Amino acid sequence: SSDVCSSDLCQFGLMFFPDKQKAAREMKRMLAPGGVALVNTWDSMEANAFVGTTQSALTTTYREHPPQFLRTPYGLYDTKVLHDLFDAAGFQSVKVERVAAEGKATTRDIAVGFIRGSGVAGEIQERGYSHDRGIEAAVTALNAQFGAQTATWPLRALVVTAKARSEEHTSELQSRLHLVCRLLLEKK
């Protein structure tokens, strides 16, 4: 069914859809007239330096075939691309904003989270590599960049706010209403 939601929320998921344009169109299709889609994606690895540092450590450690998973969640960060994606899906009032926060964790927790708690784990396992080797390399690199033990690190993301075009939905609803009225009249 279409036109059933007042809002759509996609939190750090759009980057994983193989067909992002189709995902945006489906979000719009589900929205009621004037409904709002709220979507967030991670900013780049460079903006989220702890991720870039971890990826560099993995690339150095597993030179022959480094894990590439982190490029997906941190790969949809261009504001123009995001704006154009939702504009092409038929949204109006598309706004893309960068947001910033800070996280705090031990460098070991960061490394373990990225290497054992994400798609990186499967890539390492498929290649027959040691997870511990990657974790130690990431901890060493993170300590060098952010300081030993506990680190405060930047969290950067983008938030897309896009409104469904009311006039399209209104004319579609009017067409449906006319059809229902015509069908009712034909039955009399």
Side-chain angles (χ1 to χ4, degrees), residues 18-153:
D19 187 340
K20 291 161 187 55
Q21 188 64 63
K22 183 177 180 182
R25 283 192 313 268
E26 283 299 302
M27 285 183 218
K28 182 181 169 291
R29 184 182 68 79
M30 294 303 296
L31 285 172
V36 176
L38 295 168
V39 177
N40 56 11
T41 65
W42 286 112
D43 205 336
S44 67
M45 281 193 212
E46 292 75 25
N48 291 285
F50 62 99
V51 182
T53 301
T54 301
Q55 181 63 46
S56 293
L58 292 171
T59 299
T60 301
T61 303
Y62 306 114
R63 288 182 198 273
E64 291 179 25
H65 199 49
Q68 299 298 314
F69 173 80
L70 293 177
R71 297 190 188 289
T72 300
Y74 295 90
L76 186 58
Y77 57 85
D78 185 305
T79 57
K80 181 172 177 7
V81 168
L82 284 164
H83 183 279
D84 292 351
L85 178 72
F86 284 87
D87 187 57
F91 284 92
Q92 67 181 15
S93 305
V94 178
K95 186 167 69 170
V96 182
E97 299 174 278
R98 292 188 187 280
V99 294
E102 286 188 339
K104 191 170 187 172
T106 67
T107 53
R108 179 161 298 282
D109 286 344
I110 294 168
V112 169
F114 277 112
I115 294 170
R116 291 196 186 270
S118 75
V120 172
E123 288 182 301
I124 290 173
Q125 186 173 348
E126 286 172 1
R127 295 173 177 108
Y129 296 150
S130 163
H131 290 101
D132 293 335
R133 187 171 148 216
I135 290 168
E136 292 311 314
V139 168
T140 300
L142 289 164
N143 284 344
Q145 183 163 350
F146 295 102
Q149 300 303 314
T150 301
T152 299
W153 32 273

